[in-house]
């Protein structure tokens, strides 16, 4: 399967990203992945999607520890786009190599995103679908 558009963002593990053991807290990964997602949306001309596409699934494999002040690069790409859903895959790489890999699945609820829990998904608008699909060689 050919992956779709991708982006990478660089961050430094901050003190607030660590836990009592001194390495990164598991919740830091979702923040880094969401920062990459927001960057991708802006780059694709879809800033209106930032923060309004709810997640329905999130999974991560933690592969290595990251420590305070480590530089990390989070790469995120569109793995698949369905009628109403979208799957992003991501990888967080630290100084010793991959530290985390995962996926986020989100759904389009259109303008009703502020309507609260249970808003039914809607098909992606054509312009969004086109921007998020893999480039055809």
């Amino acid at each position: 399967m050919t992956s779709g558009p991708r982006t990478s963002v660089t961050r430094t593990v901050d003190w607030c990203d660590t836990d009592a053991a001194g390495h990164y807290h598991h919740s830091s990964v979702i923040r880094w992945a969401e920062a990459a997602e927001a960057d991708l949306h802006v780059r694709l001309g879809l800033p209106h999607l930032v923060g309004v596409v709810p997640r329905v699934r999130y999974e991560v494999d933690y592969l290595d520890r990251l420590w305070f002040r480590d530089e990390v690069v989070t790469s995120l790409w569109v793995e698949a786009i369905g009628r109403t859903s979208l799957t992003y895959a991501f990888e967080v790489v630290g100084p010793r190599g991959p530290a985390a890999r995962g996926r986020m699945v989100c759904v389009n609820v259109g303008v009703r995103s502020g309507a609260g829990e249970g808003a039914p998904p809607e098909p992606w608008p054509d312009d969004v679908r086109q921007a998020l699909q893999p480039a055809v060689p």
Side-chain angles (χ1 to χ4, degrees), residues 80-87 105-108 122 124:
I81 183 165
R83 190 177 72 80
T84 62
S85 67
L86 175 62
T87 302
V105 179
C106 57
V107 296
N108 179 40
E122 296 181 359
W124 292 106

Side-chain angles (χ1 to χ4, degrees), residues 31-91:
R31 289 195 320 274
W32 298 330
E34 286 182 335
E37 178 191 17
D39 182 71
L40 182 66
H41 288 172
V42 170
R43 287 174 184 248
L44 294 175
L46 304 171
H48 59 283
L49 293 183
V50 175
V52 297
V53 182
R55 280 91 183 93
V56 295
R57 182 175 174 79
Y58 173 69
E59 62 183 65
V60 180
D61 293 320
Y62 296 92
L63 308 169
D64 192 17
R65 292 181 178 171
L66 296 168
W67 303 93
F68 176 60
R69 304 300 302 152
D70 279 350
E71 184 175 275
V72 297
V73 176
T74 302
S75 298
L76 176 132
W77 57 95
V78 175
E79 185 176 72
I81 183 165
R83 190 177 72 80
T84 62
S85 67
L86 175 62
T87 302
Y88 293 108
F90 60 87
E91 181 176 61

Side-chain angles (χ1 to χ4, degrees), residues 11-15 17-18 24 32 66-70 72:
R11 298 289 188 267
T12 300
V13 178
D14 204 349
W15 183 247
D17 296 325
T18 64
Y24 75 118
W32 298 330
L66 296 168
W67 303 93
F68 176 60
R69 304 300 302 152
D70 279 350
V72 297

Side-chain angles (χ1 to χ4, degrees), residues 109-133:
V109 293
V111 297
R112 295 176 297 184
S113 63
E117 304 248 350
E122 296 181 359
W124 292 106
D126 290 340
D127 63 324
V128 172
R129 176 178 294 287
Q130 185 174 356
L132 293 170
Q133 285 193 1

